[in-house]
């Protein structure tokens, strides 16, 4: 029966029945005209979620990591200088990927629990008078720490330094859950995936690409074949795909977009804020602390929560699964054993969040955490009742 329990990991997320049905379609020929009918509107409509009119949407059969690889290999050359800050496991992995591709990576080390340091970016870019830095890379929502960064502030810092670098942004765990303004923030490539805010299985890397990034393609010499934007765009222009597309997922994305637009994107973001606030009220009532260092950094899609000294967050997540059949996120990287995570994005309601809070409370009580049973649930109930 436990397969009916929601997951509280920050991706892959719970799939609404409507999307499970939408991907349940028979094989059809992706070279037949009806493929175009489903695929072309999906590319167009996804732009609204990225917040772009000028940009293009490009998708590959891959997870989000493949989207990162597509972003850098289509715009950069071996040895190119890139600027990036490390403040969690996902920003760390992007750094590692850039290094393995032979880029010259300038890393700004930040405390975990903080976000992209726009001021430091501004200083480094201002000092780069030769304009050697070709790209600034930002993880919008650091899923390991539950920190949301201010991408608009990074854009301001870049403009303040009058710097022409590309702005590449990982929005895998924010897109479709929190507002994203690709055009407004001057984002050149925004990288997302199907399995988080879009509530689908893993398997589509979904990218928003600016005209400026498209102009960089011809000069980019990092090797790429599978992820070459040029092949993809040439095929897409005729309504096709350069290889076999993930047909069922494309049907799923079509329906997912319908669901997001029916609810209204602003309402989707408001719902995520509300669910996240409920979780944050519970954390406060337990007397525990978030990893995110200040409210302006709080993520509405995931909360990372320190366990008290002397407790092991991974043992807690393990126990919640073993005893109650519910998954929570473990601590990643520096936070291994020190923090657990509650994912609260995608297909989720007040009622589902309350069930997650009740479950993790039981698990904590079982392991003798110094919390009062019911305290977090009550705090969230109060918040949900009074914010309707
Ligand atoms: C989930 C996630 C990714 C992508 O991971 P995949 O497993 O490759 O889909 C990248 N960045 C962030 C911030 C994420 O949360």
């Amino acid at each position: 029966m436990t397969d009916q329990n929601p997951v509280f990991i920050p991706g892959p997320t719970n799939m609404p029945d409507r999307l499970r049905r939408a991907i349940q379609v028979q094989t059809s020929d992706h070279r037949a005209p009806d493929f175009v009918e489903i695929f072309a509107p999906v590319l167009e409509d996804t732009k609204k979620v990225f917040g772009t009119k000028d940009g293009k949407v490009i998708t590959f059969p891959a997870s989000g990591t493949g989207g990162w690889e597509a972003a850098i290999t289509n715009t950069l050359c071996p040895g190119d200088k890139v600027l990036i800050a490390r403040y969690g496991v996902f920003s760390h992995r992007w750094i590692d990927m850039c290094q393995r591709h032979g880029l010259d990576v300038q890393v700004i080390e930040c405390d975990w629990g903080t976000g992209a340091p726009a001021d430091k970016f501004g200083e480094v870019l201002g000092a780069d008078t030769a304009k050697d830095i070709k790209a600034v890379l930002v993880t919008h929502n650091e899923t390991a720490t539950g920190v949301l960064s201010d991408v608009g502030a990074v854009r301001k810092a870049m403009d303040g330094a009058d710097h022409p670098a590309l702005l590449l942004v990982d929005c895998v765990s924010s897109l479709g859950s929190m507002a994203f303004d690709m055009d407004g923030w001057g984002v050149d490539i925004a990288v997302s995936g199907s399995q988080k805010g879009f509530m689908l299985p893993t398997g589509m890397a979904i990218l928003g690409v600016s005209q400026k990034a498209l102009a960089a393609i011809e000069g980019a010499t990092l090797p790429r074949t599978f992820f070459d934007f040029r092949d993809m765009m040439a095929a897409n222009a005729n309504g096709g795909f350069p290889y076999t597309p993930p047909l069922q997922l494309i049907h799923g994305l079509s329906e997912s977009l319908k669901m997001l637009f029916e609810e209204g994107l602003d309402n989707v973001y408001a719902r995520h804020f509300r669910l996240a606030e409920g979780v944050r009220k519970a954390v406060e009532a337990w007397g525990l602390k978030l990893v995110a260092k200040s409210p302006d950094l709080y993520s509405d899609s995931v909360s990372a929560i320190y366990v008290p000294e002397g407790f092991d967050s991974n043992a807690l997540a393990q126990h919640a699964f073993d005893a109650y059949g519910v998954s929570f996120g473990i601590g990643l990287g520096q936070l291994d054993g020190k923090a657990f995570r509650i994912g609260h994005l995608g297909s989720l309601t007040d009622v589902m969040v309350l069930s997650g809070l009740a479950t993790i409370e039981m698990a904590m009580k079982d392991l003798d955490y110094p919390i009062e049973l019911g305290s977090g649930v009550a705090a969230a109930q109060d918040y949900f009742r009074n914010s309707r």
Side-chain angles (χ1 to χ4, degrees), residues 10-11 62-66 68 90-91 93 139-144 170-174 193 195-196 202:
S63 78
T65 307
W68 282 347
F90 290 91
S91 43
R93 285 189 193 155
T139 300
H140 184 215
N141 190 66
E142 178 46 84
T143 316
D170 168 350
C171 57
V172 182
S173 62
S174 53
Q195 81 273 27
K196 299 195 182 173
T202 315

Side-chain angles (χ1 to χ4, degrees), residues 25 29 37 124 131 173 179 184 209 211 214 261 286 292 319 370:
V25 292
D29 179 6
E37 281 164 31
V124 173
K131 314 291 185 201
S173 62
V209 185
Q211 292 300 326
L214 291 176
F261 299 150
W286 293 327
H319 177 68

Side-chain angles (χ1 to χ4, degrees), residues 315-333:
L316 175 65
Q318 185 69 47
H319 177 68
F321 185 79
D322 291 343
Y324 304 110
V326 180
S327 290
F328 294 86
I330 58 167
L332 297 176

Side-chain angles (χ1 to χ4, degrees), residues 23-30 34 244 247-248 251:
I23 60 174
Q24 181 68 21
V25 292
Q26 182 54 277
T27 297
S28 66
D29 179 6
H30 57 279
D34 55 354
T244 317
L247 181 76
Q248 283 76 4
H251 279 274

